[in-house]
């Protein structure tokens, strides 16, 4: 740390020196936020084992009142579910309707997916995490080997994602007369109400899947239809703390059903309809 500060102080141009200082402060602030989260989670875990604030205070060498402050200071523990720094949200892209590939069509994302990003950005902002989005090209190729990554893209848009989903022994997408989700363990099929009776509902997949380089994981969200992903995001908005307590940052998958307003496409309710399947490894 001292060497980095000295290096910044030695930058000759004053404006470049100021920029270098700002960049270094932002990097350190990210570390401070994560350390605050770890501290808060550790105190909560100690209390969950039955330790009193007085006992924790004695161990830490601080006052009981200070322990109370630390227990509520900093980002919530569930922040780790998404990462420790800038979160990148990859959204599945399609060619603009009405144009052929040789007409150089634009790559576009659905209104539902853009809404998903805005909801995620607000959720992450409340936990002191910034977010940015990128569009996955229609080829479906996306770099999965990075930290702090969320992918919202159906397997039909990305053969790469479809291949990774095949590694989930419990849940997955399937297609006959229509796309649907399948619980491979119970054999139960989950079909979209849109396809069954035209009602305003859908089902989505939520999981933490392995990166291709074997060095980590990424969060994955997809619906049978685009609105199904909205249902998953709605579920995260309302159940993140509980979900984090169950799976932390380990690999898992589950299915979420939702009901929405057909006029506004606003999700009205969401719920988990399968177990939280924990993946080995």
């Amino acid at each position: 740390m001292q060497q980095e500060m000295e290096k910044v102080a030695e930058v000759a141009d004053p404006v470049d020196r100021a920029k270098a200082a700002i960049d270094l402060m932002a990097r350190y602030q990210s570390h401070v936020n994560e350390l605050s989260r770890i501290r808060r989670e550790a105190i909560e875990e100690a209390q969950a084992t039955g330790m009193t604030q007085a006992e924790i205070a004695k161990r830490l060498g601080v006052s009981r009142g200070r322990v109370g402050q630390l227990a509520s200071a900093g980002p919530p523990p569930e922040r780790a579910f998404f990462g420790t720094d800038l979160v990148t949200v990859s959204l599945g892209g399609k060619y603009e309707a009405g144009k052929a590939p040789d007409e150089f069509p634009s790559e576009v994302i659905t209104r539902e997916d853009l809404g998903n990003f805005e909801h995620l950005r607000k959720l992450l902002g409340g936990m002191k995490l910034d977010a940015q989005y990128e569009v996955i090209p229609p080829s479906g190729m996306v770099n999965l080997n990075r930290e702090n990554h969320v992918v919202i893209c159906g397997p039909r848009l990305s053969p790469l994602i479809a291949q990774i989903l095949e590694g989930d022994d419990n849940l997955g997408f399937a297609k006959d007369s229509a796309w649907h989700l399948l619980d491979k363990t119970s054999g139960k099929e989950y079909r979209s109400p849109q396809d069954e009776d035209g009602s305003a509902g859908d089902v989505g997949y939520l999981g933490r899947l392995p990166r291709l380089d074997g060095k980590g994981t990424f969060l994955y969200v997809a619906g049978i239809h685009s609105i199904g992903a909205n249902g998953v995001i709605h579920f995260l908005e309302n159940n993140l703390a509980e979900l984090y307590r169950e799976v932390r940052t380990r690999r898992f998958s589950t299915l979420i059903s939702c009901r929405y307003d057909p006029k506004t496409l606003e999700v009205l309710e969401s719920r988990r309809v399968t177990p939280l399947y924990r993946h080995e490894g």
Side-chain angles (χ1 to χ4, degrees), residues 194-206:
Q194 292 185 38
D195 301 325
E196 296 293 280
D197 57 18
S199 60
D202 202 24
V203 185
Y205 177 107
L206 167 64

Side-chain angles (χ1 to χ4, degrees), residues 1 26 34 66 93 100 113 117 119 124 126 146 227 237 239:
M1 180 177 178
E34 178 58 14
R66 179 57 176 158
D113 279 346
F117 172 72
H119 278 275
L124 294 168
R146 44 185 162 162
I227 195 70
E237 289 177 305
N239 300 277

Side-chain angles (χ1 to χ4, degrees), residues 51-65 67:
M51 290 185 69
T52 65
Q53 286 194 352
E55 291 172 329
I56 297 172
K58 184 177 181 180
R59 290 276 302 275
L60 292 178
V62 299
S63 69
R64 180 177 176 180
V67 170

